Every structure is written in C-alpha cells, then in structure tokens.
C-alpha cells in the first residue's frame, strides 16, 4: 500500500479502537506499531519502573510525563522507525505533545482523530477482552469469539486488561477529558488533524483509515 503520510499519530479516547486499527495498519504497511500503553504494560514488574507504571495504570492515571516521553521517544529513535511509524496512545498531555513536536522537528506527520461517543467507549471497555497468546482483541457484543471467552485461533481463555474495570475506566475517561482532549484544538489549528468515525465496524474503520492515508 502506498502512503502519503508515514508518520501517523492515532488520537482518541480510551477504547476508541486505536490499538486494533494500528495492528491492521502495521500489517498492511510494514510500519511499526508503537503503543505507549503496550510499552508500559511490557515493563518488567520486578523493577521499580515496571511496578511504578503499573500502579499508575491500575488507577487509570497517566504515568508521569517524563516516563512516557522517555520510553516512547527512545522507541521512536530505533532504526525501524526511521521510515515512519504508527503512534498509538502518545501524546496524551500538553507536555508530551511539546516533546513530540520537538522530536519531529519540521517533518511531516498526520493526526487521525478517532471519534465516538462516551457511551459507546464505555460499552466497549465493559465488553472487551483479548487473547493472551496471539493478542487478538474481541468484544462480547460487536466481535465475539465463536466460543464464549475462548480465542478462535489459539483456543485459550481470553483475558481482560487489569485497567478495564468500571472504576478505572471512569477515571481514564476523566483523565482523557482533562489532559488529552485539549490537544485537539492545537492539532486542528496546525492543520494536521483528520477525523475518523470510529463507531463503525472494524473493517469499515480500516477501510476509511486506508483511504485517508493513501496517496
Ligand atoms: P486505552 O487507550 O484503552 O486507555 P492504552 O493501552 O493506550 O489504553 O493505555 C493504558 C494506560 O497506560 C493509560 O490509562 C495510562 O495509565 C498509561 N499510558 C498509556 N499511554 C500513556 C501516555 N502517553 N502517557 C502517560 N500514560 C500513558
């Protein structure tokens, strides 16, 4: 697939489908999927850093900005990101946006804004689970596995993320509204923002996303 933009920032509320679409797009384009949430979840829990990150995440709070910035930008400096990347879950605050801007310098990039209602996002979090082996995401209502609670591919029980419970999810939305949503005005003003209707099916959203990014 030929792309007009190769530095792609996926932006939107929790559970808007950024991670799902990033995986589809990465397969299609060969660009690396860089998810700050995944980087944080993959930290070793036997280290202070790993334990500290998990404690913020389990409370639905952002991890400290320096931590998110350092881990994400270090990843973006790796050779595989030189041709471009799909950034998922960064930036989430003004401080992070400033750091990313500095990092990107004058280079071209696009911000895709995944739009959906708060109710839809809350329902998605309540219903979502994924395979611990192949990582395929499922949703009770919209995209259920053939056998309830079991991965179609690996036949192992699906797992829920520790932060996908009602109390933590509510806090994540609050944090999104307070700290992340204000970045929208900034990206709109810069002319880099493109809106994507994230309420549609996974396939429909993928198609729209491909069309947006194609040359
Ligand atoms: P979702 O978008 O569904 O909330 P993520 O996997 O992107 O899921 O994020 C999960 C959690 O990881 C967040 O609630 C937050 O605690 C932490 N996190 C992810 N990205 C960032 C970031 N850029 N800055 C600070 N914390 C982050």
């Amino acid at each position: 697939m030929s792309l007009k933009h190769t530095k792609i920032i996926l932006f939107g509320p929790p559970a808007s489908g950024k991670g799902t679409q990033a995986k589809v797009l990465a397969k299609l384009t060969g660009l690396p999927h860089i998810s700050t949430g995944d980087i944080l979840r993959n930290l070793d829990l036997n280290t202070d850093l790993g334990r500290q990150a998990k404690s913020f995440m389990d409370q639905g709070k952002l991890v400290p900005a320096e931590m998110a910035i350092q881990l994400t930008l270090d990843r973006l400096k790796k050779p595989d990101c030189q041709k471009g990347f799909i950034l998922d879950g960064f930036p989430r605050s003004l401080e992070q946006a400033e750091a990313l801007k500095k990092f990107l310098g004058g280079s071209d990039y696009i911000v895709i804004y995944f739009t959906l209602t708060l109710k839809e996002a809350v329902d998605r979090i309540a219903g979502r689970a994924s395979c611990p082996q192949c990582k395929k995401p499922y949703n009770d209502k919209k995209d259920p596995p053939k056998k309830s609670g079991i991965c179609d591919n690996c036949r192992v029980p699906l797992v829920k993320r520790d932060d996908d419970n009602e109390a933590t999810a509510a806090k994540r939305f609050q944090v999104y509204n307070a700290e992340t949503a204000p970045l929208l005005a900034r990206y709109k003003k810069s002319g880099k923002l493109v809106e994507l209707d994230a309420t549609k099916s996974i396939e429909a959203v993928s198609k729209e996303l491909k069309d947006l990014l194609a040359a």
Side-chain angles (χ1 to χ4, degrees):
M1 176 183 170
S2 82
L3 290 173
K4 193 166 167 198
H5 304 275
T6 54
K7 291 180 177 157
I8 303 163
I9 300 171
L10 305 185
F11 189 93
S16 52
K18 302 183 300 287
T20 301
Q21 295 300 334
K23 286 186 187 79
V24 174
L25 202 60
K27 236 185 199 162
L28 210 71
T29 59
L31 292 174
H33 169 203
I34 312 301
S35 156
T36 304
D38 285 347
I39 294 174
L40 293 166
R41 270 185 291 277
N42 287 330
L43 291 172
D44 185 348
L45 288 176
N46 293 313
T47 62
D48 281 346
L49 187 68
R51 281 191 296 267
Q52 202 196 349
K54 182 161 167 52
S55 132
F56 283 102
M57 293 169 88
D58 285 351
Q59 296 175 65
K61 295 179 183 166
L62 296 183
V63 306
E66 323 79 79
M67 188 195 283
I69 290 169
Q70 198 185 343
L71 288 167
T72 309
L73 297 188
D74 279 354
R75 180 65 189 86
L76 292 179
K77 285 175 194 155
K78 297 258 163 74
D80 64 329
C81 292
Q82 299 317 304
K83 57 182 192 263
F85 47 77
I86 304 159
L87 195 49
D88 160 19
F90 190 93
R92 288 200 197 226
S93 66
L94 201 61
E95 197 177 343
Q96 293 181 18
E98 281 297 333
L100 182 64
K101 188 175 166 198
K102 217 165 135 197
F103 176 83
L104 291 173
S107 67
D108 187 40
Y109 62 94
I110 184 169
V111 183
I112 313 274
Y113 174 34
F114 284 54
T115 61
L116 89 172
T117 63
L118 186 63
K119 181 178 182 317
E120 174 82 21
V122 170
D123 284 351
R124 285 188 185 185
I125 287 197
R128 85 173 165 184
S130 65
C131 174
Q133 279 178 25
C134 72
K135 312 287 177 205
K136 182 174 168 24
Y138 292 91
N139 189 284
D140 279 354
K141 281 182 208 141
K142 288 202 143 178
D143 191 22
K146 292 193 184 94
K147 188 167 175 231
S148 176
I150 305 289
C151 177
D152 295 343
N153 304 326
C154 312
R155 316 248 175 245
V156 296
L158 301 179
V159 291
K160 267 190 101 63
R161 263 169 47 178
D162 287 345
D163 59 349
D164 273 356
N165 61 68
E166 216 173 305
T168 308
K171 178 71 183 169
R172 281 156 60 201
F173 285 111
Q174 202 186 320
V175 168
Y176 173 79
N177 284 328
E179 299 192 45
T180 311
L183 299 181
L184 277 172
R186 182 193 175 101
Y187 284 125
K188 254 183 206 158
K189 223 161 115 191
S190 71
K192 307 278 192 199
L193 193 84
V194 181
E195 289 198 17
L196 178 70
D197 178 1
T199 52
K200 295 182 186 161
S201 69
I202 294 177
E203 293 73 26
V205 175
S206 296
K207 164 139 195 351
E208 214 174 305
L209 186 55
K210 272 188 271 176
D211 291 347
L212 281 177
L213 296 171

PDB file of all heavy atoms in Angstrom, residues 154-167:
ATOM      1  N   CYS A 154      -6.243 -19.577  19.019  1.00  0.00           N
ATOM      2  CA  CYS A 154      -5.351 -20.311  19.936  1.00  0.00           C
ATOM      3  C   CYS A 154      -6.101 -21.231  20.899  1.00  0.00           C
ATOM      4  O   CYS A 154      -5.472 -22.019  21.602  1.00  0.00           O
ATOM      5  CB  CYS A 154      -4.495 -19.329  20.738  1.00  0.00           C
ATOM      6  SG  CYS A 154      -3.728 -18.058  19.733  1.00  0.00           S
ATOM      7  N   ARG A 155      -7.429 -21.102  20.970  1.00  0.00           N
ATOM      8  CA  ARG A 155      -8.265 -21.957  21.844  1.00  0.00           C
ATOM      9  C   ARG A 155      -7.891 -21.832  23.325  1.00  0.00           C
ATOM     10  O   ARG A 155      -8.001 -22.794  24.069  1.00  0.00           O
ATOM     11  CB  ARG A 155      -8.172 -23.436  21.451  1.00  0.00           C
ATOM     12  CG  ARG A 155      -8.248 -23.668  19.963  1.00  0.00           C
ATOM     13  CD  ARG A 155      -9.536 -24.381  19.579  1.00  0.00           C
ATOM     14  NE  ARG A 155      -9.634 -24.473  18.150  1.00  0.00           N
ATOM     15  CZ  ARG A 155     -10.569 -23.880  17.400  1.00  0.00           C
ATOM     16  NH1 ARG A 155     -11.531 -23.189  17.963  1.00  0.00           N
ATOM     17  NH2 ARG A 155     -10.576 -23.992  16.095  1.00  0.00           N
ATOM     18  N   VAL A 156      -7.384 -20.648  23.700  1.00  0.00           N
ATOM     19  CA  VAL A 156      -7.078 -20.438  25.127  1.00  0.00           C
ATOM     20  C   VAL A 156      -8.043 -19.382  25.673  1.00  0.00           C
ATOM     21  O   VAL A 156      -8.607 -18.588  24.906  1.00  0.00           O
ATOM     22  CB  VAL A 156      -5.614 -19.968  25.342  1.00  0.00           C
ATOM     23  CG1 VAL A 156      -4.636 -21.042  24.896  1.00  0.00           C
ATOM     24  CG2 VAL A 156      -5.344 -18.661  24.603  1.00  0.00           C
ATOM     25  N   PRO A 157      -8.275 -19.370  27.001  1.00  0.00           N
ATOM     26  CA  PRO A 157      -9.207 -18.391  27.579  1.00  0.00           C
ATOM     27  C   PRO A 157      -8.748 -16.949  27.347  1.00  0.00           C
ATOM     28  O   PRO A 157      -7.556 -16.645  27.469  1.00  0.00           O
ATOM     29  CB  PRO A 157      -9.205 -18.716  29.074  1.00  0.00           C
ATOM     30  CG  PRO A 157      -8.718 -20.123  29.167  1.00  0.00           C
ATOM     31  CD  PRO A 157      -7.764 -20.312  28.015  1.00  0.00           C
ATOM     32  N   LEU A 158      -9.699 -16.089  27.001  1.00  0.00           N
ATOM     33  CA  LEU A 158      -9.394 -14.670  26.793  1.00  0.00           C
ATOM     34  C   LEU A 158      -9.154 -14.005  28.147  1.00  0.00           C
ATOM     35  O   LEU A 158      -9.641 -14.491  29.169  1.00  0.00           O
ATOM     36  CB  LEU A 158     -10.569 -13.979  26.091  1.00  0.00           C
ATOM     37  CG  LEU A 158     -10.961 -14.556  24.736  1.00  0.00           C
ATOM     38  CD1 LEU A 158     -12.156 -13.801  24.155  1.00  0.00           C
ATOM     39  CD2 LEU A 158      -9.779 -14.496  23.765  1.00  0.00           C
ATOM     40  N   VAL A 159      -8.394 -12.911  28.116  1.00  0.00           N
ATOM     41  CA  VAL A 159      -8.137 -12.182  29.364  1.00  0.00           C
ATOM     42  C   VAL A 159      -8.584 -10.726  29.221  1.00  0.00           C
ATOM     43  O   VAL A 159      -8.568 -10.165  28.120  1.00  0.00           O
ATOM     44  CB  VAL A 159      -6.637 -12.205  29.763  1.00  0.00           C
ATOM     45  CG1 VAL A 159      -6.219 -13.599  30.176  1.00  0.00           C
ATOM     46  CG2 VAL A 159      -5.751 -11.700  28.630  1.00  0.00           C
ATOM     47  N   LYS A 160      -8.955 -10.130  30.360  1.00  0.00           N
ATOM     48  CA  LYS A 160      -9.292  -8.702  30.383  1.00  0.00           C
ATOM     49  C   LYS A 160      -8.095  -7.946  30.921  1.00  0.00           C
ATOM     50  O   LYS A 160      -7.362  -8.458  31.768  1.00  0.00           O
ATOM     51  CB  LYS A 160     -10.488  -8.477  31.326  1.00  0.00           C
ATOM     52  CG  LYS A 160     -11.824  -8.501  30.633  1.00  0.00           C
ATOM     53  CD  LYS A 160     -12.933  -8.036  31.556  1.00  0.00           C
ATOM     54  CE  LYS A 160     -13.345  -6.599  31.311  1.00  0.00           C
ATOM     55  NZ  LYS A 160     -13.912  -6.337  29.985  1.00  0.00           N
ATOM     56  N   ARG A 161      -7.874  -6.737  30.421  1.00  0.00           N
ATOM     57  CA  ARG A 161      -6.808  -5.907  30.968  1.00  0.00           C
ATOM     58  C   ARG A 161      -7.153  -5.507  32.394  1.00  0.00           C
ATOM     59  O   ARG A 161      -8.316  -5.276  32.705  1.00  0.00           O
ATOM     60  CB  ARG A 161      -6.661  -4.648  30.105  1.00  0.00           C
ATOM     61  CG  ARG A 161      -5.578  -4.758  29.081  1.00  0.00           C
ATOM     62  CD  ARG A 161      -5.612  -3.658  28.078  1.00  0.00           C
ATOM     63  NE  ARG A 161      -5.769  -2.318  28.631  1.00  0.00           N
ATOM     64  CZ  ARG A 161      -5.786  -1.225  27.886  1.00  0.00           C
ATOM     65  NH1 ARG A 161      -5.640  -1.318  26.579  1.00  0.00           N
ATOM     66  NH2 ARG A 161      -5.939  -0.041  28.427  1.00  0.00           N
ATOM     67  N   ASP A 162      -6.127  -5.384  33.256  1.00  0.00           N
ATOM     68  CA  ASP A 162      -6.368  -5.010  34.652  1.00  0.00           C
ATOM     69  C   ASP A 162      -7.091  -3.666  34.772  1.00  0.00           C
ATOM     70  O   ASP A 162      -7.839  -3.436  35.722  1.00  0.00           O
ATOM     71  CB  ASP A 162      -5.036  -4.902  35.420  1.00  0.00           C
ATOM     72  CG  ASP A 162      -4.436  -6.266  35.699  1.00  0.00           C
ATOM     73  OD1 ASP A 162      -5.172  -7.272  35.550  1.00  0.00           O
ATOM     74  OD2 ASP A 162      -3.246  -6.331  36.051  1.00  0.00           O
ATOM     75  N   ASP A 163      -6.862  -2.763  33.803  1.00  0.00           N
ATOM     76  CA  ASP A 163      -7.463  -1.423  33.922  1.00  0.00           C
ATOM     77  C   ASP A 163      -8.821  -1.328  33.208  1.00  0.00           C
ATOM     78  O   ASP A 163      -9.419  -0.262  33.156  1.00  0.00           O
ATOM     79  CB  ASP A 163      -6.508  -0.330  33.426  1.00  0.00           C
ATOM     80  CG  ASP A 163      -6.085  -0.494  31.970  1.00  0.00           C
ATOM     81  OD1 ASP A 163      -6.346  -1.568  31.379  1.00  0.00           O
ATOM     82  OD2 ASP A 163      -5.488   0.447  31.419  1.00  0.00           O
ATOM     83  N   ASP A 164      -9.315  -2.446  32.672  1.00  0.00           N
ATOM     84  CA  ASP A 164     -10.631  -2.422  32.005  1.00  0.00           C
ATOM     85  C   ASP A 164     -11.759  -2.785  32.974  1.00  0.00           C
ATOM     86  O   ASP A 164     -12.626  -3.584  32.669  1.00  0.00           O
ATOM     87  CB  ASP A 164     -10.640  -3.388  30.808  1.00  0.00           C
ATOM     88  CG  ASP A 164     -10.122  -2.716  29.538  1.00  0.00           C
ATOM     89  OD1 ASP A 164      -9.837  -1.504  29.572  1.00  0.00           O
ATOM     90  OD2 ASP A 164     -10.009  -3.407  28.516  1.00  0.00           O
ATOM     91  N   ASN A 165     -11.748  -2.205  34.150  1.00  0.00           N
ATOM     92  CA  ASN A 165     -12.883  -2.381  35.068  1.00  0.00           C
ATOM     93  C   ASN A 165     -13.583  -1.032  35.194  1.00  0.00           C
ATOM     94  O   ASN A 165     -13.024   0.004  34.812  1.00  0.00           O
ATOM     95  CB  ASN A 165     -12.414  -2.903  36.425  1.00  0.00           C
ATOM     96  CG  ASN A 165     -11.453  -1.942  37.079  1.00  0.00           C
ATOM     97  OD1 ASN A 165     -11.825  -0.843  37.488  1.00  0.00           O
ATOM     98  ND2 ASN A 165     -10.183  -2.316  37.143  1.00  0.00           N
ATOM     99  N   GLU A 166     -14.795  -1.063  35.749  1.00  0.00           N
ATOM    100  CA  GLU A 166     -15.637   0.137  35.708  1.00  0.00           C
ATOM    101  C   GLU A 166     -14.986   1.362  36.363  1.00  0.00           C
ATOM    102  O   GLU A 166     -14.951   2.435  35.775  1.00  0.00           O
ATOM    103  CB  GLU A 166     -16.958  -0.168  36.409  1.00  0.00           C
ATOM    104  CG  GLU A 166     -18.143   0.517  35.778  1.00  0.00           C
ATOM    105  CD  GLU A 166     -19.445   0.039  36.404  1.00  0.00           C
ATOM    106  OE1 GLU A 166     -19.681  -1.184  36.407  1.00  0.00           O
ATOM    107  OE2 GLU A 166     -20.172   0.876  36.913  1.00  0.00           O
ATOM    108  N   ALA A 167     -14.428   1.167  37.568  1.00  0.00           N
ATOM    109  CA  ALA A 167     -13.884   2.309  38.317  1.00  0.00           C
ATOM    110  C   ALA A 167     -12.679   2.900  37.587  1.00  0.00           C
ATOM    111  O   ALA A 167     -12.576   4.127  37.417  1.00  0.00           O
ATOM    112  CB  ALA A 167     -13.482   1.863  39.712  1.00  0.00           C
TER     113      ALA A 167
END
